[in-house]
Amino acid sequence: MTAETNLDALLQQRDKVHPDKTLEPSKSSDDGKPTILIIDDELGMRQALKAIFAADYNVLLAADGKEAVEIFKQHSNIACVVTDAMMPNMDGFQTASYLHSINMDIPIIMLTAHQAMHEPSKVVDFNFKGYVTKGEVRIDAEGRISLPTIDDLVKRVKSACEEYALLLRKKAFFESLKEERDWLEEKIQERTRELTEALAAKEAAQNKLIQAEQRAVTYYLVQGVRHEMNTHLQTLRLNLQNVKFGDMIYVADIIKKTFLLIDALNKDDLKDAKQYANELKVLFNDAAQESGEEDLMAGLGRSLEFCIKSANILETIINQLKEASDHEEYEKKPERIEEIIDDTIKYLHPEINKRIAELKILTEYDENIPPILCNRYKIMQALTAQVMNSLDAMVIKKYQSDIPALYFKVKKENSKVCIITGDNGVGVRTEHQKEIFKPFFTAKGQGQKGTGIGLSQVASIIGKHDGEYHVKSEEGKYTEIIWTIPVI
C-alpha cells in the first residue's frame, strides 16, 4: 500500500469490520463530552474523522447537508460542525448558511480538498471558524493512517468548542441577569402596587379623618350659631309679646278713651270729658308701672329697638350662612380677622361654658390692623379646631393658683398679619411640636378623651391662604399657635 492510495480504497476493509451505524442521528450522552457534527458525502472520510474525534467528543455523522440539517434540529447540544465543501444537492456553503439561520452562533469548520475553487472572500463571508484542506493521505510504518492537516483540524475543533462553550456560558450568565432583572422588575412592580394600594388606603383613611374632623368643627360652629340665633329669636319674641300684650293693650285703651274724650268735648259734655281725662291719666300711670318706664312711648320705643337690633343680628347670621354655602370652598374676599375671631368666640361660647365654665377669654388686637384676603368660614373652622384643642389641654390640667385662660392676639408685622391663639393648658412636648399638624397625630395619653378634632386641617386651611404656621409651647405651662397671613 502506497501513499498515493485513495482514502476510500484504504478504508474499505475497515468499513467491513466496523460498519457505519451513525448515519441516523443519535442522542448525545451525559458524559460531559462536547458534541460535534461531521458532514461529508464520503463514507470513509466520515468514519476516519469519527475515529479521530471519538475519544474526546460525542460524534454525529451526516452524509449530506439535508441530513445534517435534520440532525442539527434534533440536537440542541451540538458545539461545532465540520463540513465538506463539495457535496451533492446541498454543498457545504449552503449547509452552513442554513445552519446559521437556525443558530447564528454555531461554529462551522470547512474541510475540503477543493479549496482552490473558492475565493477567500466567500469563505470570510460565511464566518467560518476554520478552512482546512484534506491534503494527501499518509500511512506510517505501522500502518496508521494520517492526514497532514489533521492536527490543525483537531486544534480548530477544540478551539471552536471551547469558544462556543464560553459563548454559551456568557449567554447563560446574561440570561440569568435578564431573569434576575425580570424578577426584580416584577418584584418592584409588585411592591409598587402594594405601596400604591397602601398609599391609596392611607389617603382614603386620611380623607375620612379630615372629613370627620371637619364635620366635628362644623358641628360646634353650627351649635354655636344655633344658640346665638335662638338667643336673638327669644329677645325678638319677648319684646314683641311685651308690645302686643302689654304696651299695645294700653295704647289701644288710650286711643279709645282719647276718642271718647274728643267726642265729649265736641258735645260740651264736661262731666264725661272730665271722666275720660281721669281714665286716661290712670291708663298712663298703669302703663308706666307695668313697663317700668316713666313714659309709655319710651318703653314702647325701647322694645321696638330691641326687636330691630335682634332682627338685624339674625339677618347678619343668615347672610353669613348663605354666603358660606353658596360660594366656592376657598373663595376669598377682604375680611377683618378681629371680627372673625370675635364671631368664632361668640358661636363657641355655649360649648366653652359647658366644658370650662370659669374659663377666662382675653383678646388683644393692635389698632389699624389691615384686612386679609380669606375665606371667612374656613378661618373660623381653623380657629374652632384650635379652640377645641385648647379646651382639651386645659380640661386635663390641674390648676393651682391660676385659672384656665384662652387668649387671642392680632398684630401687624411688615406685610403680614400675625394671629396668635394661646392657652395655659398642659402644653406640648418638644418632640411632638413638629408632629401636631400631621394627620392622625395625637398627644393624648391612654384613657384621655377629647373632641376628636386634630390640627391637620389648620395646616391645610392656612396653607391655602398662602400663610405660615408654627407652634410655641412649654410643657405644663402654655401653648401658642401662630399664623402669619399676607395683608391685602
Side-chain angles (χ1 to χ4, degrees):
M1 190 175 292
T2 64
E4 289 81 9
T5 303
N6 186 276
L7 179 62
D8 289 337
L10 284 171
L11 296 177
Q12 282 178 358
Q13 293 180 352
R14 186 177 178 179
D15 291 342
K16 294 177 183 178
V17 181
H18 302 285
D20 187 2
K21 296 181 180 180
T22 60
L23 292 177
E24 294 297 325
S26 62
K27 294 182 179 180
S28 61
S29 65
D30 296 328
D31 55 7
K33 294 180 181 180
T35 299
I36 64 173
L37 173 61
I38 296 175
I39 312 167
D40 200 298
D41 60 334
E42 295 183 18
L43 177 60
M45 181 60 72
R46 294 197 300 274
Q47 291 287 26
L49 291 174
K50 180 178 180 181
I52 292 169
F53 289 104
D56 300 315
Y57 301 90
N58 296 313
V59 182
L60 304 174
L61 300 179
D64 56 37
K66 183 177 180 182
E67 185 181 7
V69 169
E70 293 303 318
I71 294 173
F72 193 79
K73 289 179 179 179
Q74 296 177 29
H75 294 269
S76 60
N77 61 337
I78 295 173
C80 179
V81 176
V82 178
T83 181
D84 189 12
M86 301 301 294
M87 295 183 295
N89 299 325
M90 184 184 292
D91 65 19
F93 293 97
Q94 293 172 319
T95 303
S97 178
Y98 204 103
L99 296 181
H100 275 154
S101 70
I102 299 173
N103 181 357
M104 62 179 298
D105 298 317
I106 191 69
I108 300 176
I109 299 172
M110 182 68 71
L111 178 64
T112 179
H114 304 280
Q115 67 275 17
M117 297 176 62
H118 308 289
E119 296 180 1
S121 61
K122 185 174 183 181
V123 176
V124 173
D125 288 344
F126 278 86
N127 193 26
F128 290 124
K129 287 295 181 181
Y131 191 82
V132 182
T133 60
K134 291 181 179 179
E136 186 180 275
V137 176
R138 295 179 182 178
I139 301 176
D140 60 16
E142 296 178 1
R144 291 192 295 267
I145 303 171
S146 66
L147 295 171
T149 56
I150 195 64
D151 290 340
D152 184 28
L153 177 61
V154 171
K155 290 178 181 179
R156 288 182 183 274
V157 170
K158 181 180 180 182
S159 176
C161 288
E162 290 175 350
E163 289 181 8
Y164 187 65
L166 179 60
L167 176 63
L168 291 181
R169 285 197 297 272
K170 287 181 178 179
K171 281 194 167 186
F173 173 72
F174 286 113
E175 182 64 26
S176 68
L177 287 182
K178 180 179 180 300
E179 291 177 357
E180 185 75 12
R181 184 195 66 190
D182 293 343
W183 180 83
L184 286 173
E185 287 181 352
E186 182 180 349
K187 290 299 180 183
I188 290 172
Q189 291 175 358
E190 180 181 342
R191 185 58 177 160
T192 300
R193 286 193 299 270
E194 291 175 355
L195 291 174
T196 301
E197 291 172 359
L199 180 60
K202 180 180 178 182
E203 289 179 348
Q206 180 174 324
N207 290 335
K208 187 176 180 180
L209 175 65
I210 291 173
Q211 290 172 2
E213 291 180 350
Q214 288 177 342
R215 286 194 296 270
V217 167
T218 302
Y219 168 80
Y220 288 115
L221 282 175
V222 168
Q223 286 293 93
V225 170
R226 178 173 173 270
H227 181 272
E228 184 73 10
M229 292 184 72
N230 280 337
T231 298
H232 292 289
L233 281 172
Q234 290 296 331
T235 300
L236 183 61
R237 182 182 294 112
L238 289 174
N239 280 280
L240 287 175
Q241 287 178 341
N242 184 52
V243 169
K244 178 180 179 181
F245 299 109
D247 295 341
M248 292 307 298
I249 292 176
Y250 286 109
V251 170
D253 286 342
I254 289 171
I255 292 173
K256 180 180 178 181
K257 296 298 181 182
T258 301
F259 277 114
L260 291 174
L261 174 61
I262 293 172
D263 186 58
L265 290 174
N266 288 333
K267 293 179 180 180
D268 294 327
D269 188 346
L270 296 179
K271 181 181 178 181
D272 287 344
K274 183 178 179 181
Q275 179 183 346
Y276 294 141
N278 289 331
E279 290 177 357
L280 280 173
K281 184 178 180 181
V282 172
L283 285 172
F284 276 111
N285 290 333
D286 291 345
Q289 291 177 2
E290 182 72 21
S291 63
E293 298 285 346
E294 295 182 0
D295 190 320
L296 172 64
M297 298 310 294
L300 179 60
R302 192 179 301 278
S303 295
L304 293 176
E305 183 180 341
F306 284 139
C307 290
I308 293 171
K309 183 179 179 180
S310 295
N312 287 337
I313 293 174
L314 288 170
E315 181 183 21
T316 300
I317 295 174
I318 291 170
N319 287 337
Q320 288 177 351
L321 293 175
K322 184 175 183 300
E323 184 179 354
S325 62
D326 288 348
H327 286 179
E328 294 292 331
E329 184 178 5
Y330 272 95
E331 185 175 349
K332 303 170 188 174
K333 68 176 188 177
E335 298 278 2
R336 304 198 67 83
I337 187 64
E338 311 97 294
E339 296 177 0
I340 296 176
I341 292 173
D342 290 342
D343 282 347
T344 303
I345 295 172
K346 179 174 62 178
Y347 296 146
L348 294 180
H349 208 270
E351 182 65 24
I352 292 172
N353 280 339
K354 184 168 64 176
R355 298 196 65 193
I356 308 177
E358 73 277 16
L359 178 68
K360 179 170 59 177
I361 300 177
L362 305 172
T363 57
E364 183 181 322
Y365 307 145
D366 284 356
E367 295 182 357
N368 302 318
I369 296 293
I372 59 173
L373 191 65
C374 70
N375 182 291
R376 180 186 185 89
Y377 182 67
K378 289 297 177 181
I379 295 295
M380 290 179 71
Q381 279 187 319
L383 287 168
T384 299
Q386 293 182 173
V387 169
M388 301 313 294
N389 274 270
S390 290
L391 294 178
D392 289 343
M394 289 184 286
V395 164
I396 62 176
K397 182 176 178 178
K398 305 297 183 182
Y399 288 90
Q400 301 299 328
S401 58
D402 54 347
I403 62 173
L406 179 66
Y407 56 90
F408 301 86
K409 299 179 182 179
V410 179
K411 54 186 177 180
K412 186 175 182 301
E413 293 182 351
N414 299 323
S415 60
K416 297 180 179 181
V417 170
C418 178
I419 303 110
I420 301 172
T421 304
D423 64 70
N424 63 347
V426 293
V428 180
R429 293 180 182 177
T430 303
E431 62 268 25
H432 291 164
Q433 291 181 16
K434 293 182 179 179
E435 308 294 324
I436 64 172
F437 295 103
K438 294 181 180 180
F440 308 109
F441 177 80
T442 178
K444 296 179 180 67
Q446 187 174 3
Q448 291 182 357
K449 296 182 179 180
T451 56
I453 299 175
L455 295 176
S456 60
Q457 58 182 306
V458 173
S460 176
I461 291 171
I462 301 307
K464 290 182 179 180
H465 283 81
D466 300 321
E468 298 176 354
Y469 55 90
H470 67 278
V471 61
K472 285 176 60 178
S473 184
E474 185 175 344
E475 190 173 0
K477 293 186 177 181
Y478 76 95
T479 298
E480 288 185 346
I481 296 178
I482 300 100
W483 305 346
T484 53
I485 298 178
V487 300
I488 298 175

